[in-house]
């Protein structure tokens, strides 16, 4: 009887243990279920990421299309003739750089000076550096006038001076405009004495840009290569 009771109790314990396993699951099965759930969650996340990635790719493609279309339209606009009407109301030539201008009704154009003989002459100091109104404000009162074969100069308190044109290469002297080195034909001692007296500065000279002197190139960033000028600050025509 004692053995029977013991056996009966053991069998009951095994059934209860089995029922508990069925209800709560074994540790191995629990781990498998956990891994399976993590895998399902990962797959769902990948699907969600793929959706957002597709949306991102579509947005990038749209932006690239818009950028390309803008560039194409800009290139077409650049090749069109500009629809701009320009009216010139005044023509002013400055025969001597930084001096008073001369009003014109018409003018010939040349490749070097723009308006004919515009800034063909200039005053330089003893070092050959150009004189401007920045350094010598009194230059604004010097009134030049081109006449046949000569340049006339008038200024307050100074006698009228007529300077014959000199282009002889023997008279050339090195001059500087900003960073540009050029050759200028010296116009003689009379003009030098006149301007030195007027500016109260010794050693000033009047020079002229000779037609056959080495050309002075302009900045190729803003003009076709080969474009040249005389004594202007940068370009033959100034608007």
């Amino acid at each position: 009887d004692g053995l029977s009771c013991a056996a009966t109790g053991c069998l009951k314990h095994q059934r209860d243990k089995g029922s508990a396993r069925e209800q709560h699951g074994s540790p191995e099965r629990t781990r498998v279920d956990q891994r399976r759930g993590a895998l399902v969650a990962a797959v769902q996340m990948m699907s969600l990421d793929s959706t957002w990635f597709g949306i991102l790719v579509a947005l990038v493609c749209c932006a690239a299309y818009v950028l390309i279309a803008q560039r194409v339209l800009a290139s077409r606009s650049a090749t069109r003739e500009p629809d701009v009407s320009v009216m010139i109301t005044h023509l002013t030539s400055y025969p001597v750089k930084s001096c008073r201008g001369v009003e014109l009704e018409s003018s010939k154009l040349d490749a070097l000076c723009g308006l004919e003989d515009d800034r063909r002459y200039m005053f330089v100091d003893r070092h050959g550096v150009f004189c401007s109104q920045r350094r010598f404000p009194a230059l604004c009162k010097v009134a030049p006038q081109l006449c046949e074969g000569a340049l006339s100069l008038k200024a307050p308190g100074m006698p009228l001076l007529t300077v014959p044109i000199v282009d002889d290469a023997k008279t050339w002297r090195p001059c500087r405009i900003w960073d540009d080195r050029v050759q200028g034909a010296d116009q003689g001692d009379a003009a030098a004495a006149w301007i030195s007296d007027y500016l109260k500065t010794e050693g000033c000279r009047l020079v002229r840009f000779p037609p056959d002197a080495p050309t002075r190139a302009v900045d190729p960033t803003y003009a076709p290569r080969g474009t040249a000028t005389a004594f202007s600050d940068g370009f033959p025509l100034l608007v």
Side-chain angles (χ1 to χ4, degrees), residues 83-101:
D83 186 15
V84 177
S85 298
V86 177
M87 177 178 292
I88 298 174
T89 58
H90 292 82
L91 284 177
T92 306
S93 176
Y94 298 86
V96 182
K97 183 178 178 66
S98 289
C99 294
R100 186 175 296 176

Side-chain angles (χ1 to χ4, degrees), residues 38 66 137 139 222 225:
V66 171
L139 285 174
Y222 304 102
R225 290 190 177 276

Side-chain angles (χ1 to χ4, degrees), residues 86-225:
V86 177
M87 177 178 292
I88 298 174
T89 58
H90 292 82
L91 284 177
T92 306
S93 176
Y94 298 86
V96 182
K97 183 178 178 66
S98 289
C99 294
R100 186 175 296 176
V102 178
E103 295 293 328
L104 304 173
E105 291 185 0
S106 62
S107 175
K108 294 180 181 179
L109 296 177
D110 69 52
L112 187 64
C113 294
L115 297 180
E116 186 176 27
D117 290 325
D118 181 65
R119 295 171 176 84
R120 174 74 72 174
Y121 293 83
M122 73 175 179
F123 294 115
V124 297
D125 62 17
R126 67 172 66 246
H127 304 293
V129 178
F130 78 103
C131 298
S132 72
Q133 291 183 28
R134 301 174 187 87
R135 296 169 59 198
F136 303 101
L139 285 174
C140 70
K141 297 181 180 180
V142 176
Q145 186 68 50
L146 287 169
C147 46
E148 196 65 33
L151 171 74
S152 67
L153 297 171
K154 291 192 300 184
M158 298 297 295
L160 175 67
L161 178 69
T162 300
V163 184
I165 291 176
V166 177
D167 284 330
D168 191 347
K170 294 179 181 178
T171 67
W172 292 4
R173 59 187 300 126
C175 305
R176 182 162 66 87
I177 307 172
W178 302 114
D179 294 328
D180 294 336
R181 305 282 178 172
V182 296
Q183 293 291 325
D186 193 292
Q187 300 302 291
D189 293 337
W194 188 92
I195 191 59
S196 296
D197 185 25
Y198 176 67
L199 295 179
K200 305 296 188 288
T201 303
E202 291 297 324
C204 294
R205 311 289 298 188
L206 175 66
V207 296
R208 170 181 160 91
F209 199 96
D212 53 348
T215 58
R216 176 183 167 225
V218 305
D219 189 341
T221 306
Y222 304 102
R225 290 190 177 276

Side-chain angles (χ1 to χ4, degrees), residues 60-79:
V60 170
C61 291
C62 290
Y65 176 79
V66 171
L67 182 60
I68 292 172
Q70 288 177 341
R71 290 186 176 180
V72 170
L73 291 175
S75 64
R76 289 179 180 175
S77 299
T79 56

